[in-house]
Amino acid sequence: MFFQKDIETMPRSEIEALQLARLKAQVKYCIDNVPFYNKRLTEAGVTADKIKTLSDIQYIPYTTKADIRDNYPYGLFAVPMKKIVRIHASSGTTGKPTVVGYTRNDINIWSDCVARLCAAVGVNDNDVAQISFGYGLFTGALGLHYGLEKLGCAVIPISSGNTKKQAMILKDFGTTVLISTPSYAMYMSEVAHECGISNDELKLRIGLFGSEGCTPALRDKIEQGFGLFSTDNYGMSELMGPGVSGECEYRCGLHFAEDHFLPEIINSETGDVLPHGEKGELVITTLTKEGIPMLRYRTKDITRIHYDTCKCGRTHARMEKVQGRSDDMLKIRGVNVFPSQIEDVMANIEGISPHYELILTRKNYTDYLEVRIEINDERLLESFSDLERLQKEAVDKLKTVLGIQAKVTLVAPRSIQRYEGKAKRIIDNRTDEA
Ligand code: DLL
């Protein structure tokens, strides 16, 4: 078992004392090692000594994805490259990704945090864990990989895709724990049954799903489809990756690793901190990060935090499932997509107007993106080969920037609706299938 009881059941007052000590140290570390924070905090008049209570965190300015982008690629790293042992990245709002680096100590803490949330639902060293997240710059696969190895599981690093093979491995390798997005798990269960594999032939008992939202209805379906019990876990690459919070067996909120992260809820419009229990944007400060520490990082995810002790005995605060975003980021097949990235692509293709629509649909529990774009010259309509070339160029460029395949539909000039106020460019038709 990997239940870090001393830490996970610490009385609230002790957690807060630990957080305060670590917050002060993290602030000092940022001032001493990251020129960006040095300038920001000096301008705001914040020093480690000014932080006397946890609520003094309010004097620290927020950090945003734009700050990471403006310091691309390594400007916010607090250590020399010699100390970095891993680099990950996620989509930024423009073509450039958000880059994060980990020291060896960061990787150890990351593995601990992930091991904790896996153990909280009963994963142990007898388990065979199939990781069906994509390995690569995305933090999901390697994050879970190290945590599960730490627990002593036999890890199958199959990555995502090739679903029939996934189903075969589930059966032949005796997989007991499945790690993926909930939508991929749902699809895999259908493919497994289509391949004639019945649940009796599987040893699956636990699903650890995350990286995108999952309604209770979809969760029930996955659980029935595969005959397993599943939990939700949350995180983001800017803060670490998976391991920031995760459900225990009681599934009444996702426990933060509060010894490493200090969460707050703010009003995303005014930036005001909201009282405990209110719904708003989640802001997180890392307390022990060495590679790329984050002070008051605005996640843009909307949730609520509960501080009472859970039935499982853990005292670490729990966030409710993510209820939406305060920006326009979309999760499509587990990949973060910003409409601004698509706009950027359009702006760089000759013959295309800046008017577009994004249509999202879901089939077989998989998300599809169609980008409808307007050509800007009617004469193009007469040349099939020009249209074909333009369409191919748009598909290729979108694939390079977004990392996912989109369908591109070219439409006649002025056929996309114009708006006098804020344009409504996203038509999200995704619903969980009946
Ligand atoms: O998705 C990290 C992760 C991987 C978490 C695997 C859990 C499991 P990013 O690619 O940086 O990192 O995307 C972060 O995804 O701000 C949320 O909007 C969304 N997200 C992550 N987990 C959940 C979840 C990973 N459990 C962004 N429920 C976040 C809903 C989630 N949304």
Side-chain angles (χ1 to χ4, degrees):
M1 271 299 274
F2 198 87
F3 181 28
Q4 296 180 318
K5 195 168 180 222
D6 291 352
I7 301 168
E8 293 184 67
T9 63
M10 239 183 199
R12 188 88 237 139
S13 59
E14 283 177 34
I15 295 177
E16 289 179 2
L18 179 69
Q19 287 180 320
L20 179 60
R22 289 187 167 173
L23 175 63
K24 286 165 80 84
Q26 186 95 109
V27 167
K28 179 166 183 339
Y29 180 75
C30 287
I31 292 174
D32 291 348
N33 297 288
V34 187
F36 163 85
Y37 279 124
N38 187 302
K39 183 163 180 287
R40 270 264 167 106
L41 297 190
T42 306
E43 278 165 12
V46 178
T47 58
D49 288 341
K50 189 159 178 190
I51 312 286
K52 295 200 163 46
T53 65
L54 279 182
S55 63
D56 290 341
I57 196 172
Q58 63 179 303
Y59 301 120
I60 301 175
Y62 294 118
T63 307
T64 64
K65 209 174 178 77
D67 294 321
I68 307 182
R69 185 190 61 216
D70 294 347
N71 289 281
Y72 176 83
Y74 303 142
L76 294 190
F77 285 18
V79 293
M81 233 8 144
K82 192 176 155 56
K83 293 249 166 85
I84 295 287
V85 297
R86 179 91 65 74
I87 291 173
H88 281 283
S90 78
S91 325
T93 45
T94 64
K96 298 281 188 202
T98 311
V99 184
V100 290
Y102 303 75
T103 63
R104 194 166 299 286
N105 198 33
D106 289 335
I107 298 277
N108 279 337
I109 289 175
W110 189 10
S111 316
D112 267 10
C113 291
V114 172
R116 253 187 226 174
L117 70 87
C118 298
V121 60
V123 178
N124 62 52
D125 55 4
N126 288 315
D127 278 305
V128 177
Q130 182 161 332
I131 301 192
S132 306
F133 278 133
Y135 279 73
L137 288 177
F138 173 58
T139 51
L142 279 167
L144 265 302
H145 186 123
Y146 274 55
L148 288 159
E149 263 190 15
K150 193 157 213 169
L151 271 184
C153 297
V155 175
I156 307 171
I158 187 167
S159 202
S160 57
N162 204 343
T163 312
K164 281 194 177 149
K165 187 169 168 197
Q166 299 265 2
M168 180 188 85
I169 301 256
L170 276 180
K171 173 172 159 239
D172 294 353
F173 288 22
T175 302
T176 56
V177 179
L178 177 64
I179 286 92
S180 69
T181 57
S183 50
Y184 194 44
M186 188 65 231
Y187 182 46
M188 209 187 288
S189 102
E190 289 192 341
V191 171
H193 297 144
E194 274 162 29
C195 294
I197 299 173
S198 72
N199 286 351
D200 298 344
E201 296 173 279
L202 297 176
K203 297 204 172 118
L204 268 178
R205 60 184 201 98
I206 291 173
L208 291 165
F209 304 133
S211 185
E212 65 180 14
C214 177
T215 58
L218 180 61
R219 168 148 98 187
D220 286 351
K221 264 192 177 171
I222 304 170
E223 294 192 337
Q224 283 156 17
F226 263 147
L228 50 69
F229 181 82
S230 70
T231 52
D232 184 11
N233 68 90
Y234 166 89
M236 64 195 324
S237 51
E238 293 90 321
L239 297 168
M240 166 185 267
V244 174
S245 67
E247 283 177 328
C248 64
E249 63 197 300
Y250 291 99
R251 303 196 297 198
C252 50
L254 290 78
H255 290 278
F256 286 105
E258 269 200 287
D259 46 337
H260 300 295
F261 300 100
L262 177 57
E264 298 170 85
I265 294 289
I266 66 163
N267 176 323
S268 59
E269 267 147 41
T270 61
D272 294 339
V273 177
L274 296 175
H276 281 185
E278 281 196 27
K279 186 163 106 178
E281 179 184 332
L282 177 67
V283 167
I284 292 188
T285 298
T286 61
L287 296 174
T288 51
K289 276 289 272 305
E290 292 178 346
I292 177 163
M294 282 289 140
L295 299 183
R296 302 191 91 199
Y297 186 72
R298 290 191 61 162
T299 68
K300 306 278 176 177
D301 291 313
I302 307 294
T303 184
R304 204 191 296 266
I305 303 179
H306 300 284
Y307 287 85
D308 53 317
T309 301
C310 179
K311 278 179 269 180
C312 71
R314 289 179 182 78
T315 48
H316 289 203
R318 290 159 288 144
M319 62 181 254
E320 289 182 4
K321 278 173 172 292
V322 174
Q323 291 168 26
R325 301 256 322 161
S326 66
D327 66 3
D328 53 3
M329 185 183 95
L330 302 160
K331 269 258 164 178
I332 303 175
R333 272 174 262 148
V335 176
N336 302 347
V337 172
F338 291 91
S340 54
Q341 293 174 291
I342 297 174
E343 246 163 68
D344 237 37
V345 172
M346 304 289 125
N348 290 305
I349 302 178
E350 203 154 327
I352 280 175
S353 85
H355 301 283
Y356 68 93
E357 256 170 12
L358 308 182
I359 298 157
L360 290 150
T361 48
R362 183 169 290 160
K363 200 167 164 229
N364 287 334
Y365 308 95
T366 306
D367 296 339
Y368 292 90
L369 169 66
E370 178 188 352
V371 184
R372 297 182 66 219
I373 35 189
E374 230 180 63
I375 52 171
N376 59 14
D377 185 347
E378 230 141 50
R379 282 169 301 179
L380 266 176
L381 290 172
E382 282 149 34
S383 164
F384 182 73
S385 62
D386 281 345
L387 283 178
E388 204 176 31
R389 181 193 47 74
L390 204 57
Q391 193 202 30
K392 183 168 180 329
E393 186 180 346
V395 169
D396 291 348
K397 287 194 167 153
L398 285 170
K399 171 96 210 258
T400 309
V401 171
L402 307 180
I404 56 166
Q405 189 85 27
K407 176 180 169 196
V408 169
T409 309
L410 297 176
V411 299
R414 300 206 63 78
S415 62
I416 286 181
Q417 190 176 343
R418 304 294 194 260
Y419 295 89
E420 285 171 359
K422 195 171 155 56
K424 188 177 176 308
R425 302 206 179 282
I426 302 164
I427 301 164
D428 198 339
N429 291 330
R430 291 178 292 184
T431 48
D432 290 338
E433 284 134 286

